[in-house]
Amino acid sequence: MPILNRVSAFADELGAWRRDIHSHPELSGEEVRTPALVAERLKAFGCDEVVTGIGRTGVVARIKGNRPGEKVIGLRADMDALPIDEATGKPYASTAAGKMHACGHDGHTTMLLGAARYLAETRNFAGEVVLIFQPAEESGEGARAMIADGLMDRFGITEVYGMHNMPGIPVGQFAIRPGSIMAAADWFTVEIEGKGSHAARPNESIDTLYIAALTVTALQAIVARNVDPIESAILSVTQISAGNTFNVIPQTATLKGTIRSFSPKVRDLVHARFAEIVNGVAAMHGARATLEIRQGSTATVNHDDETLLAARAAADIVGETLVDGAVTPCTASEDFGLMLEERPGAFIFIGNGDSAGLHHPRYDFDDASLPIGASYWARLVEMASAR
């Protein structure tokens, strides 16, 4: 494992970079300090080109290999934080109230910086590597914005890869699968308008709370009775809002929640049945319903050949027994799926050990993963360019 040995020699620096980024989290669309730090380091490493402002605040760097080749391998890391108050008590905890790196993007950014340093020093690959530091993953807007700014065509990317840490997978292990590995995410709002009345005269009302309750129950039939049991989907109502006093049946009620799916066919089915049920239940009781479904990230779907390559690269760093090649798909979402719709590639999980869960106020990225992840990136480039 010569790559891991070489990267491990500057593991302390990786840890210092990661903790610095962790202490200064920036929310989606507010990334200023982090991309500036990234660009400064990439220039110091001797990258052939460093471009800022892609997708508003994204950073893209290009490194040319020592051997001729046509392939341009894209590696992507996300940079943004979450609106969470940190509760780790670590000495490098967030210095910004209400903001925290609770998903490990500080670690993702650092691992790609570590790979950039190694690749710029060694250049032991053919063609080029393009390092993508993406903003606004948590809002689901960053990948789309970078693609709209010409990321793929401007830099000539031929294949693209992503990585995310995963609590519950031991540090030093990887997990991947071909096909869908993370879900598409949609958000819905249902507004129900009935007829308000005094609570003592319910016969004079069109009771929106009753209709809302029936709607919540009826919506569960979509996954239970409409989605093919071999497929999968999630429909969760997470908010019900209505009324403001104990003796009034409210005029309106609001439902909000999320839909998760792994295929466009299932996604379309759930959306269609959702509208039919919402409108049907409301009409049955003389109420009126309006529905808004906001589509978020698409499903993250790995390409077969690139998944196999990524698994081999990970195994080259940690050994075949520490790479799970058939991990269960994750029902969380990730906007890297949009990049995989543009180019072939794969998304892999790297273990974060027995940490708090992602998006939890006590979560922290395990620095022991930094040289492992950076080494994986470097080896992936070497292997992908040689195909």
Side-chain angles (χ1 to χ4, degrees):
M1 295 183 285
I3 295 178
L4 182 57
N5 291 338
R6 181 163 177 162
V7 174
S8 294
F10 56 89
D12 288 346
E13 291 178 72
L14 294 175
W17 301 344
R18 203 279 298 183
R19 290 188 290 272
D20 177 56
I21 296 170
H22 186 93
S23 296
H24 301 89
E26 296 174 306
L27 302 181
S28 298
E30 300 178 4
E31 303 93 342
V32 176
R33 182 184 186 275
T34 307
L37 181 152
V38 166
E40 178 185 359
R41 298 216 177 278
L42 292 171
K43 291 173 183 176
F45 297 155
C47 294
D48 296 293
E49 181 182 19
V50 179
V51 182
T52 59
I54 305 295
R56 290 190 59 196
T57 57
V59 181
V60 179
R62 189 195 304 269
I63 303 173
K64 298 178 182 179
N66 279 333
R67 299 194 302 277
E70 299 299 322
K71 290 189 177 180
V72 181
I73 311 301
L75 308 179
R76 175 272 206 172
D78 35 20
M79 300 186 291
D80 55 328
L82 285 157
I84 294 175
D85 285 309
E86 182 163 354
T88 64
K90 297 292 179 66
Y92 50 82
S94 171
T95 58
K99 302 177 184 180
M100 176 193 174
H101 271 293
C103 201
H105 296 186
D106 50 342
H108 301 167
T109 297
T110 302
M111 289 188 292
L112 192 53
L113 283 173
R117 174 172 168 174
Y118 173 90
L119 291 166
E121 290 176 353
T122 61
R123 300 180 183 260
N124 185 33
F125 60 93
E128 298 182 3
V129 59
V130 172
L131 309 164
I132 306 162
F133 294 85
Q134 181 200 306
E137 187 281 324
E138 297 293 353
S139 68
E141 299 171 354
R144 192 182 309 277
M146 295 192 85
I147 292 168
D149 268 0
L151 171 68
M152 298 298 174
D153 294 333
R154 177 176 174 180
F155 295 94
I157 296 170
T158 55
E159 52 196 89
V160 65
Y161 298 86
M163 176 163 53
H164 203 294
N165 79 95
M166 185 60 69
I169 298 176
V171 172
Q173 296 189 23
F174 290 87
I176 195 170
R177 63 175 289 118
S180 297
I181 190 169
M182 296 191 76
D186 303 312
W187 293 269
F188 62 81
T189 300
V190 179
E191 300 281 356
I192 301 170
E193 184 172 4
K195 181 181 177 183
S197 76
H198 196 293
R201 293 189 292 275
N203 55 298
E204 297 178 0
S205 76
I206 297 176
D207 190 340
T208 51
L209 273 171
Y210 172 66
I211 296 167
L214 290 176
T215 301
V216 172
T217 301
L219 287 172
Q220 303 312 307
I222 297 175
V223 175
R225 287 294 177 266
N226 299 136
V227 174
D228 186 332
I230 305 302
E231 302 279 359
S232 60
I234 296 170
L235 192 160
S236 296
V237 179
T238 57
Q239 297 180 53
I240 301 179
S241 305
N244 52 24
T245 189
F246 62 90
N247 61 350
V248 175
I249 294 175
Q251 177 87 5
T252 61
T254 302
L255 306 176
K256 294 184 179 182
T258 186
I259 300 166
R260 305 296 168 109
S261 57
F262 289 98
S263 77
K265 179 180 178 181
V266 170
R267 192 182 202 182
D268 291 343
L269 169 67
V270 174
H271 288 191
R273 288 294 294 137
F274 198 112
E276 292 168 355
I277 288 172
V278 165
N279 292 322
V281 172
M284 184 169 61
H285 295 278
R288 183 175 65 88
T290 58
L291 167 64
E292 177 190 7
I293 298 179
R294 181 169 65 89
Q295 292 196 18
S297 302
T298 187
T300 301
V301 183
N302 283 342
H303 297 249
D304 290 349
D305 290 345
E306 288 70 24
T307 298
L308 180 60
L309 174 69
R312 287 174 48 220
D316 214 47
I317 300 301
V318 299
E320 289 187 12
T321 60
L322 299 181
V323 180
D324 179 358
V327 66
T328 300
C330 176
T331 54
S333 65
E334 160 66 65
D335 73 354
F336 183 71
L338 291 169
M339 294 191 182
L340 290 179
E341 290 183 343
E342 297 288 324
R343 296 292 188 273
F347 193 75
I348 196 169
F349 296 131
I350 185 171
N352 200 57
D354 188 24
S355 70
L358 301 175
H359 294 211
H360 191 281
R362 294 190 182 277
Y363 167 87
D364 191 24
F365 187 92
D366 193 321
D367 285 348
S369 291
L370 295 173
I372 298 170
S375 299
Y376 159 75
W377 278 140
R379 186 58 181 143
L380 178 63
V381 170
E382 293 177 353
M383 294 176 69
S385 68
R387 285 195 301 168

